[in-house]
Amino acid sequence: MKIKFLLPIILLVAVVAQSCVSNKKYAELQANYNKSLDTNSKLKQSWQVTQQELSGSRARVTSLEEQIAAAKSNASALQDALNKCLAGNNQGNVNIAKLADQITASDKYIRHLVELKNKSDSLNMILTNNLTRSLSPAEAQGVDVKVLKGVVYVSLADNMLYKSGSYEISPTAGSVLAKVAKIINDYSTYDVLIEGNTDNVPIKQTNIRNNWDLSGLRASSVVQALQTTYNVDPKRLTAGGRGEYNPIADNSSPSGKSQNRRTQIIITPKLDQFMGLIGKGDEVPKGQ
């Protein structure tokens, strides 16, 4: 009986003991499980971060590859340009040499023109001095000689050349015209323009319509006197009238009117001969 009574107790103790062990084990397993879940969560987060970093790295790699490709393309283009430059270097040297020749020829041509101008200026000054020295003090009062822009201007007052309102040459003008004619004949390569000028007072002559007529007729009278009396080649002479429209002074005063009433003898190198002198200079090559 005693044994039968103890058996249930032992079994109860065993069951209780077994139950206590299982709870501890369960708690331990639960703790391990929770720890595993936490570890798994952290690993998952780490994996996501790693994936993001990997994606970023791939994008950077792609960008770098594109930059490398662009750099290679640029380097290739530069190399091609360098090759072309080197290949065309000889041609470039030829062009530079041509340009240098053109500059040299141009400088020589300019020096030639300067020499011509200096020569022309010298001749004009000699002509002016010769004419001025040949005039008496009284004659010099009615004659003005100037050199302007390479042209000799001999201005003769109308009261020395003509009667008032007339275009006929006065006998007293013969001495001056003779000296002017001598200069003109001495410089046979020069052309001569005779230019008549008046003041603004209207002409009152039945056979002369206006100051245009008067200025032209006066110039023509001087031309014919130089030709017929002083043997100047008529092919070198030109007569022209400018009326009242080329004044050198104010017509509001008697003095101004007197200055404007004048006949100018303009002595210039012949244009065709002058151009021929220029043509003797080396021709400037045209640019290629």
Side-chain angles (χ1 to χ4, degrees), residues 237-284:
L237 300 173
T238 301
R242 302 192 68 175
E244 63 196 72
Y245 301 104
N246 185 36
I248 57 174
D250 190 347
N251 278 306
S252 61
S253 67
S255 173
K257 286 184 173 68
S258 176
Q259 292 180 63
N260 291 331
R261 294 191 302 269
R262 69 201 188 279
T263 297
Q264 286 188 313
I265 300 176
I266 303 171
I267 306 172
T268 63
K270 289 188 177 182
L271 183 60
D272 57 345
Q273 293 184 6
F274 182 72
M275 295 306 294
L277 287 174
I278 293 177
K280 292 179 181 179
D282 292 336
E283 182 179 359
V284 178

Coordinates of all heavy atoms in Angstrom, one line a residue, residues 237-284:
L237 N 46.7 123.0 -123.2 CA 45.9 124.0 -122.6 C 44.4 123.6 -122.5 O 43.9 123.0 -123.4 CB 46.0 125.3 -123.4 CG 47.4 125.9 -123.5 CD1 47.4 127.1 -124.5 CD2 47.9 126.4 -122.2
T238 N 43.8 124.1 -121.4 CA 42.4 123.9 -121.2 C 41.8 125.2 -120.6 O 42.4 125.7 -119.6 CB 42.1 122.7 -120.2 OG1 42.6 121.5 -120.7 CG2 40.6 122.5 -120.0
A239 N 40.7 125.6 -121.1 CA 40.0 126.8 -120.6 C 38.7 126.5 -119.9 O 38.0 125.6 -120.4 CB 39.7 127.8 -121.8
G240 N 38.5 127.1 -118.8 CA 37.3 126.8 -118.0 C 36.9 128.0 -117.2 O 37.7 128.8 -116.7
G241 N 35.5 128.2 -117.0 CA 35.0 129.3 -116.2 C 34.2 128.8 -115.0 O 33.5 127.8 -115.2
R242 N 34.4 129.4 -113.9 CA 33.6 129.0 -112.7 C 32.7 130.1 -112.2 O 32.1 130.0 -111.1 CB 34.6 128.6 -111.6 CG 35.5 127.5 -112.0 CD 36.3 126.9 -110.9 NE 35.4 126.2 -110.0 CZ 35.9 125.5 -108.9 NH1 37.2 125.4 -108.7 NH2 35.0 124.9 -108.1
G243 N 32.6 131.2 -113.0 CA 31.7 132.2 -112.6 C 32.0 132.8 -111.3 O 33.1 133.0 -110.9
E244 N 30.9 133.0 -110.5 CA 31.0 133.6 -109.1 C 31.0 132.5 -108.1 O 31.0 132.8 -106.9 CB 29.9 134.6 -108.9 CG 28.5 133.9 -108.9 CD 27.4 134.8 -109.0 OE1 27.2 135.4 -110.1 OE2 26.6 135.0 -108.0
Y245 N 31.1 131.3 -108.5 CA 30.8 130.2 -107.5 C 32.1 129.5 -106.9 O 32.0 128.4 -106.3 CB 30.0 129.1 -108.2 CG 28.7 129.7 -108.7 CD1 28.5 130.0 -110.0 CD2 27.7 130.1 -107.8 CE1 27.3 130.6 -110.5 CE2 26.5 130.6 -108.2 CZ 26.3 130.9 -109.6 OH 25.1 131.5 -110.0
N246 N 33.2 130.2 -107.1 CA 34.4 129.7 -106.4 C 35.2 130.8 -105.7 O 36.3 131.1 -106.0 CB 35.3 129.0 -107.5 CG 36.6 128.4 -106.9 OD1 36.5 127.8 -105.8 ND2 37.7 128.5 -107.6
P247 N 34.4 131.5 -104.8 CA 35.1 132.7 -104.2 C 36.2 132.3 -103.2 O 36.1 131.2 -102.6 CB 33.9 133.3 -103.4 CG 33.0 132.2 -103.1 CD 33.1 131.3 -104.3
I248 N 37.1 133.2 -103.0 CA 38.2 133.0 -102.0 C 38.1 134.1 -100.9 O 38.8 134.1 -99.9 CB 39.6 133.0 -102.6 CG1 39.8 134.3 -103.3 CG2 39.8 131.8 -103.5 CD1 41.2 134.5 -103.9
A249 N 37.1 135.0 -101.1 CA 36.9 136.0 -100.1 C 35.4 136.4 -100.1 O 34.6 136.0 -100.9 CB 37.7 137.3 -100.4
D250 N 35.0 137.2 -99.1 CA 33.6 137.6 -98.9 C 33.3 138.7 -99.9 O 34.0 139.8 -100.0 CB 33.4 138.1 -97.5 CG 32.0 138.3 -97.2 OD1 31.1 138.3 -98.1 OD2 31.6 138.5 -96.0
N251 N 32.2 138.5 -100.7 CA 31.8 139.5 -101.7 C 31.1 140.7 -101.1 O 30.7 141.6 -101.9 CB 30.9 138.8 -102.7 CG 31.7 138.0 -103.8 OD1 32.6 138.6 -104.4 ND2 31.3 136.8 -104.0
S252 N 31.0 140.8 -99.8 CA 30.3 141.9 -99.2 C 31.2 143.2 -99.2 O 30.7 144.2 -98.8 CB 29.8 141.5 -97.8 OG 30.9 141.2 -97.0
S253 N 32.5 143.0 -99.4 CA 33.3 144.2 -99.4 C 34.0 144.4 -100.7 O 34.2 143.4 -101.5 CB 34.4 144.0 -98.3 OG 35.3 143.0 -98.6
P254 N 34.5 145.6 -101.1 CA 35.2 145.8 -102.3 C 36.5 145.0 -102.4 O 36.8 144.5 -103.5 CB 35.5 147.3 -102.3 CG 34.4 147.9 -101.4 CD 34.1 146.9 -100.4
S255 N 37.2 144.9 -101.3 CA 38.4 144.1 -101.2 C 38.1 142.7 -101.5 O 38.9 142.0 -102.3 CB 39.1 144.3 -99.9 OG 40.2 143.4 -99.8
G256 N 37.1 142.1 -101.0 CA 36.7 140.7 -101.2 C 36.3 140.5 -102.7 O 36.8 139.5 -103.3
K257 N 35.6 141.4 -103.2 CA 35.2 141.3 -104.7 C 36.4 141.3 -105.5 O 36.6 140.6 -106.5 CB 34.3 142.5 -105.1 CG 32.8 142.3 -104.5 CD 32.0 143.5 -105.1 CE 30.5 143.3 -104.7 NZ 30.3 143.4 -103.3
S258 N 37.4 142.2 -105.2 CA 38.6 142.3 -106.0 C 39.4 141.0 -106.0 O 40.0 140.6 -107.0 CB 39.5 143.4 -105.4 OG 40.7 143.5 -106.1
Q259 N 39.4 140.3 -104.8 CA 40.2 139.0 -104.7 C 39.5 137.9 -105.5 O 40.1 137.1 -106.1 CB 40.3 138.6 -103.2 CG 41.2 139.5 -102.4 CD 41.2 139.0 -101.0 OE1 41.7 137.9 -100.7 NE2 40.7 139.9 -100.0
N260 N 38.1 138.0 -105.6 CA 37.4 137.0 -106.3 C 37.5 137.1 -107.8 O 37.3 136.1 -108.5 CB 35.9 137.0 -105.8 CG 35.8 136.5 -104.4 OD1 36.6 135.7 -103.9 ND2 34.7 137.0 -103.7
R261 N 37.7 138.3 -108.3 CA 37.8 138.6 -109.7 C 39.3 138.2 -110.1 O 40.2 139.1 -110.0 CB 37.5 140.0 -110.1 CG 36.1 140.4 -109.8 CD 35.8 141.8 -110.4 NE 36.7 142.8 -109.9 CZ 36.4 143.6 -108.9 NH1 35.2 143.4 -108.2 NH2 37.2 144.6 -108.5
R262 N 39.5 137.0 -110.5 CA 40.8 136.5 -110.8 C 40.8 135.5 -111.9 O 39.8 134.8 -112.1 CB 41.5 135.9 -109.5 CG 40.8 134.6 -109.1 CD 41.1 134.3 -107.6 NE 40.6 133.0 -107.3 CZ 39.3 132.7 -107.1 NH1 38.4 133.6 -107.1 NH2 38.9 131.4 -106.8
T263 N 42.0 135.3 -112.5 CA 42.1 134.2 -113.4 C 43.3 133.3 -112.9 O 44.4 133.8 -112.6 CB 42.5 134.7 -114.8 OG1 41.4 135.4 -115.3 CG2 42.8 133.5 -115.8
Q264 N 43.0 132.0 -112.7 CA 44.0 131.1 -112.2 C 44.6 130.3 -113.3 O 43.9 129.7 -114.2 CB 43.4 130.2 -111.1 CG 43.2 130.9 -109.8 CD 42.7 129.9 -108.7 OE1 41.9 129.1 -108.9 NE2 43.3 130.1 -107.6
I265 N 46.0 130.2 -113.3 CA 46.7 129.3 -114.3 C 47.2 128.2 -113.4 O 48.1 128.4 -112.5 CB 47.8 130.1 -114.9 CG1 47.3 131.3 -115.7 CG2 48.6 129.1 -115.8 CD1 48.4 132.1 -116.4
I266 N 46.6 127.0 -113.6 CA 46.9 125.9 -112.8 C 47.8 124.9 -113.6 O 47.4 124.4 -114.6 CB 45.6 125.1 -112.4 CG1 44.7 126.2 -111.7 CG2 45.9 123.9 -111.5 CD1 43.3 125.6 -111.4
I267 N 49.0 124.7 -113.1 CA 50.0 123.9 -113.8 C 50.2 122.6 -113.0 O 50.5 122.5 -111.8 CB 51.4 124.7 -113.8 CG1 51.1 126.1 -114.4 CG2 52.4 123.9 -114.6 CD1 52.4 127.0 -114.3
T268 N 49.9 121.5 -113.7 CA 50.0 120.2 -113.1 C 50.7 119.2 -114.0 O 50.7 119.3 -115.2 CB 48.6 119.6 -112.9 OG1 47.9 119.4 -114.1 CG2 47.7 120.5 -112.0
P269 N 51.4 118.1 -113.4 CA 52.0 117.1 -114.3 C 50.9 116.4 -115.1 O 49.7 116.3 -114.7 CB 52.5 116.1 -113.2 CG 52.7 116.9 -112.0 CD 51.6 117.9 -112.0
K270 N 51.2 116.1 -116.3 CA 50.3 115.4 -117.2 C 49.8 114.1 -116.5 O 50.7 113.3 -116.1 CB 50.9 115.1 -118.6 CG 51.0 116.4 -119.4 CD 51.4 116.0 -120.8 CE 51.5 117.3 -121.7 NZ 51.9 117.0 -123.1
L271 N 48.5 113.9 -116.5 CA 48.0 112.7 -115.8 C 48.5 111.4 -116.4 O 48.9 110.5 -115.6 CB 46.4 112.8 -115.8 CG 45.7 111.7 -115.0 CD1 46.2 111.7 -113.5 CD2 44.2 111.8 -115.1
D272 N 48.5 111.3 -117.7 CA 48.9 110.0 -118.3 C 50.4 109.8 -118.1 O 50.8 108.6 -117.8 CB 48.6 110.0 -119.8 CG 49.3 111.2 -120.5 OD1 49.7 112.1 -119.9 OD2 49.3 111.1 -121.8
Q273 N 51.2 110.8 -118.1 CA 52.6 110.6 -117.8 C 52.8 110.3 -116.3 O 53.7 109.5 -116.0 CB 53.4 111.8 -118.2 CG 53.4 112.1 -119.7 CD 54.3 113.3 -120.0 OE1 55.0 113.9 -119.2 NE2 54.3 113.6 -121.3
F274 N 52.1 110.9 -115.5 CA 52.2 110.6 -114.0 C 51.8 109.2 -113.7 O 52.5 108.5 -113.0 CB 51.3 111.6 -113.2 CG 51.4 111.4 -111.8 CD1 52.6 111.8 -111.1 CD2 50.4 110.9 -111.0 CE1 52.7 111.7 -109.7 CE2 50.5 110.7 -109.7 CZ 51.6 111.1 -109.0
M275 N 50.7 108.7 -114.4 CA 50.3 107.4 -114.2 C 51.3 106.4 -114.7 O 51.5 105.3 -114.2 CB 48.9 107.1 -114.8 CG 47.8 107.9 -114.1 SD 47.7 107.7 -112.4 CE 47.2 105.9 -112.3
G276 N 52.0 106.8 -115.8 CA 53.0 106.0 -116.4 C 54.2 105.9 -115.5 O 54.8 104.8 -115.4
L277 N 54.5 106.9 -114.8 CA 55.6 106.9 -113.8 C 55.3 105.9 -112.7 O 56.1 105.1 -112.2 CB 55.9 108.3 -113.2 CG 56.6 109.3 -114.2 CD1 56.7 110.6 -113.5 CD2 58.0 108.8 -114.5
I278 N 54.0 106.0 -112.2 CA 53.6 105.1 -111.2 C 53.6 103.7 -111.6 O 54.0 102.7 -110.9 CB 52.1 105.4 -110.7 CG1 52.1 106.8 -110.0 CG2 51.6 104.4 -109.8 CD1 50.7 107.3 -109.6
G279 N 53.3 103.4 -112.9 CA 53.2 102.1 -113.5 C 54.6 101.5 -113.5 O 54.7 100.2 -113.6
K280 N 55.7 102.3 -113.5 CA 57.0 101.8 -113.6 C 57.4 101.1 -112.2 O 58.4 100.4 -112.2 CB 58.0 102.9 -113.9 CG 57.9 103.4 -115.4 CD 58.9 104.5 -115.7 CE 58.7 105.0 -117.1 NZ 59.7 106.1 -117.4
G281 N 56.7 101.4 -111.2 CA 56.9 100.8 -109.9 C 56.5 99.3 -110.0 O 55.7 98.9 -110.8
D282 N 57.1 98.5 -109.1 CA 56.7 97.1 -109.1 C 55.3 97.0 -108.8 O 54.8 97.6 -107.8 CB 57.6 96.4 -108.0 CG 59.0 96.3 -108.4 OD1 59.4 96.4 -109.6 OD2 59.9 96.2 -107.5
E283 N 54.6 96.1 -109.5 CA 53.2 95.9 -109.3 C 53.0 95.1 -108.0 O 53.7 94.1 -107.8 CB 52.6 95.1 -110.5 CG 51.1 94.9 -110.3 CD 50.5 94.2 -111.5 OE1 51.3 93.9 -112.4 OE2 49.3 93.8 -111.5
V284 N 52.1 95.6 -107.2 CA 51.8 94.9 -106.0 C 51.0 93.6 -106.3 O 49.9 93.7 -106.8 CB 51.0 95.7 -105.0 CG1 50.7 95.0 -103.7 CG2 51.8 97.0 -104.7

